[in-house]
Amino acid sequence: MPAAKRTSTAAPVSVRPLVEPDLDRADEIFRVAFGTFLGVPEPETFFGTADYVRTRWAADPHAAFAATVEDEVVGSNFAANWGSVGYFGPLTVRPDLWDQGIGRRLMEPVMACFDTWENRHLGLFTFSHSPKHLELYRRYGFWPRFLTAIMKKQVAVTAAVPGRVLYGELPTAERPNALSLSRALTEAVYEGLSLEREIMATQAQGLGETVLIEGAGSDLDGLAVCHCGAGSEAGEDVCFIKFGAVRPGPDAADRFERLLTACEQLATEKGLGQLDAGMNLARQDAYRRMIDRGFRTWLQGVTMHKPNEPGYSHPDAYVIDDWR
């Protein structure tokens, strides 16, 4: 923002847990901050009916933080625990208070979360064209690697995928085994990676569904945590694949195609017209296959990693995510 529109505050900034009465204000700041940075005409309407603040707070209130000035919420940040992997965001600050160190204050509690959880690979998604953002996160040991494309396609009617199971349709007694099989799959993708938190949060909040693809024997060939429609991270008329992965090794590319088809099948069943998914461009074949299916990039950023290692973003990985 132009300097004339900035507010200089001499009042101290405090950081505390984000609590339920803060959510409306935190959501407003989140939308205005992103919309202002990207220059949209009505920033307060950015992200439409998608909800990142309430859903992430509900998933883990102990990993959600507010920055306040004179007891007024002026920013927020969220941490996510995926087993050996941790990431954070969205980190947002009221635009008139940008460049006054509030973002750094909001980094402190999430870094403490990662220490407590003992995640060994940390990450975030940010604007690749913003030196300010890259330098802020570099100070905490994060390093920019490959671009990540946020992609979309119009949903087409597809044939049913054999072996597709929806977690939400499983009897309660069978869900622990499904979580165990999911953990075994993600462990094969990256040691210690676990999406149990996302699967259970999606189910508990009614945000969408988790698609499971049965393989030979008792293994899973693939899984995808999908948010569906307004009030989730997808937004109206959208099915958003928040995370997807297939069992690595021979025929992984074929399993990936089946998983994408199964997700499109879910979108059709839910009556949703658009399928969204994030793809790190280090996963070269997975990216090419999504392009071939009609996915196109509508937003692009960069993932930053700590340490400066690929994690599960490498050419042999067939994983969907974006760490927003």
Side-chain angles (χ1 to χ4, degrees), residues 57 99 103 112 115 211 254 261 285 319-320:
W57 177 83
D99 302 324
D115 288 341
V211 175
D254 292 340
T261 300
D285 190 55
V319 177
I320 295 169

Side-chain angles (χ1 to χ4, degrees), residues 86-271:
Y87 75 96
F88 70 87
L91 189 167
T92 52
V93 174
R94 204 175 76 193
D96 64 302
L97 295 175
W98 285 350
D99 302 324
Q100 298 190 41
I102 297 174
R104 291 196 298 274
R105 293 296 308 278
L106 282 166
M107 284 296 298
E108 295 165 5
V110 299
M111 297 305 291
C113 279
F114 298 145
D115 288 341
T116 299
W117 296 335
E118 298 182 339
N119 316 105
R120 69 170 185 276
H121 191 87
L122 308 179
L124 66 120
F125 175 100
T126 193
F127 299 108
S128 55
H129 64 289
S130 173
K132 176 176 71 173
H133 288 82
L134 298 183
E135 178 58 20
L136 168 62
Y137 302 129
R138 188 197 62 79
R139 293 181 183 183
Y140 293 87
F142 293 90
W143 196 259
R145 295 185 65 90
F146 280 89
L147 295 174
T148 291
I150 313 303
M151 310 179 79
K152 65 181 179 180
K153 76 178 296 288
Q154 293 304 115
V155 171
V157 177
T158 62
V161 175
R164 190 200 74 156
V165 175
L166 300 181
Y167 177 83
E169 294 181 356
L170 291 173
T172 302
E174 295 181 16
R175 291 180 182 177
N177 183 58
L179 292 173
S180 178
L181 293 174
S182 298
R183 186 167 59 252
L185 188 154
T186 53
E187 279 265 5
V189 170
Y190 184 78
E191 185 180 1
L193 177 64
S194 173
L195 269 291
E196 288 183 62
R197 170 191 176 273
E198 294 295 343
I199 294 170
M200 292 190 293
T202 299
Q203 179 65 27
Q205 296 181 54
L207 301 176
E209 262 292 0
T210 296
V211 175
L212 306 172
I213 307 294
E214 296 177 332
S218 60
D219 291 334
L220 288 181
D221 273 355
L223 72 88
V225 182
C226 299
H227 284 210
C228 299
S232 73
E233 293 180 21
E236 187 174 357
D237 200 36
V238 176
C239 177
F240 167 50
I241 307 173
K242 182 163 184 176
F243 179 91
V246 300
R247 183 164 48 83
D251 301 322
D254 292 340
R255 290 191 283 273
F256 186 65
E257 295 281 2
R258 286 174 59 208
L259 184 66
L260 288 173
T261 300
C263 292
E264 198 154 1
Q265 180 185 344
L266 174 67
T268 299
E269 292 168 353
K270 296 285 189 181

Side-chain angles (χ1 to χ4, degrees), residues 33-54:
F34 273 99
T36 299
F37 184 82
L38 294 173
V40 302
E42 298 179 342
E44 65 276 3
T45 66
F46 196 62
F47 284 104
T49 58
D51 192 329
Y52 281 71
V53 168
R54 294 173 186 85

